Amino acid sequence: GDSVTQMEGPVTLSEEAFLTINCTYTATGYPSLFWYVQYPGEGLQLLLKATKADDKGSNKGFEATYRKETTSFHLEKGSVQVSDSAVYFCALAQNNAGNMLTFGGGTRLMVKP
Amino acid sequence: DTAVSQTPKYLVTQMGNDKSIKCEQNLGHDTMYWYKQDSKKFLKIMFSYNNKELIINETVPNRFSPKSPDKAHLNLHINSLELGDSAVYFCASKQMATGELFFGEGSRLTVL
């Protein structure tokens, strides 16, 4: 079946540092790929997505590129802020009606001032 | 207006009890889900409900039963609660055009 693997956290960075959170996937066909973010005490919310190979999703300074050849969707941000501290989830979904989203294990990011 | 709302937000109960968590979405989506998040933040799909069709995850004990009175609601009933049921349960609905999931804020269940 489909699966998503993320780097284990926590990732601890100083403010303004460069962020990379690795994500690789195993899936048949051409799934859509997502990054969700969960701030403390809240539900998950969509951060960005890409629906086909070579697409780049971006939002709030975060970016991720859908790499079919390496089955990866790494999350990057050039300069993190304390407010970016959260748990980040990589996920994939097959483009079938009603199909479930498959999540990675989540990566906790802690940004120190 | 909250798009996906869950109640209660916190639930503390004794082993062996039966409890329910309610979920409502006002987005007009046809597909809803229940996820379980453990203490390590790992998210596990429990159920998917799409236009009256329930898709059950085979690893979920039959003590868990979803109920959908209409398209906007997907409730979760749990019988004979066990310590291992302690977790945060998230309801979500899916926007079919984009595949995006919209999550509720979660219901933290603690079984003593």
Side-chain angles (χ1 to χ4, degrees):
Chain A
D2 297 345
S3 66
V4 178
T5 302
Q6 293 179 231
M7 61 189 292
E8 288 192 20
V11 174
T12 304
L13 296 173
S14 298
E15 209 165 20
E16 299 184 3
F18 184 86
L19 168 71
T20 300
I21 300 178
N22 290 338
C23 170
T24 57
Y25 67 91
T26 302
T28 57
Y30 301 91
S32 294
L33 301 175
F34 304 82
W35 276 101
Y36 279 80
V37 58
Q38 183 180 24
Y39 298 104
E42 298 183 12
L44 282 74
Q45 53 187 279
L46 180 66
L47 180 60
L48 53 85
K49 68 173 185 178
T51 58
K52 60 183 187 296
D54 299 326
D55 266 4
K56 177 185 284 188
S58 61
N59 185 28
K60 299 181 181 180
F62 291 88
E63 292 183 341
T65 302
Y66 189 145
R67 301 287 189 199
K68 182 72 175 173
E69 62 276 13
T70 54
T71 62
S72 65
F73 193 54
H74 304 323
L75 182 68
E76 297 182 338
K77 186 174 185 182
S79 176
V80 293
Q81 305 300 313
V82 173
S83 57
D84 294 326
S85 298
V87 181
Y88 292 82
F89 292 89
C90 185
L92 70 82
Q94 295 289 358
N95 297 312
N96 300 322
N99 203 46
M100 303 174 199
L101 213 64
T102 300
F103 284 92
T107 302
R108 182 182 297 277
L109 170 65
M110 299 171 59
V111 181
K112 298 183 175 180
Chain B
D1 277 350
T2 303
V4 181
S5 58
Q6 299 178 224
T7 55
K9 191 168 183 178
Y10 299 96
L11 185 56
V12 181
T13 188
Q14 300 289 330
M15 281 176 56
N17 285 349
D18 303 337
K19 292 293 178 186
S20 293
I21 306 171
K22 297 184 177 180
C23 178
E24 176 181 4
Q25 55 99 359
N26 62 6
L27 299 169
H29 295 162
D30 290 337
T31 304
M32 296 181 71
Y33 304 88
W34 277 107
Y35 281 86
K36 178 181 180 181
Q37 186 175 48
D38 62 23
S39 58
K40 295 183 179 180
K41 301 295 185 181
F42 185 75
L43 273 168
K44 178 181 176 182
I45 181 74
M46 299 179 70
F47 302 104
S48 167
Y49 208 102
N50 182 46
N51 270 334
K52 299 183 182 180
E53 181 185 357
L54 177 64
I55 301 170
I56 299 175
N57 186 318
E58 293 180 359
T59 64
V60 178
N62 58 14
R63 298 181 294 104
F64 291 80
S65 55
K67 288 183 172 55
S68 181
D70 55 59
K71 196 174 76 167
H73 296 83
L74 182 62
N75 304 325
L76 182 65
H77 188 75
I78 315 169
N79 290 325
S80 302
L81 280 158
E82 300 177 357
L83 293 176
D85 298 332
S86 295
V88 181
Y89 292 85
F90 285 99
C91 175
S93 70
K94 183 176 182 178
Q95 183 179 61
M96 289 308 297
T98 63
E100 180 180 353
L101 289 189
F102 291 78
F103 283 82
E105 293 185 341
S107 297
R108 181 178 293 277
L109 171 65
T110 302
V111 182
L112 303 176

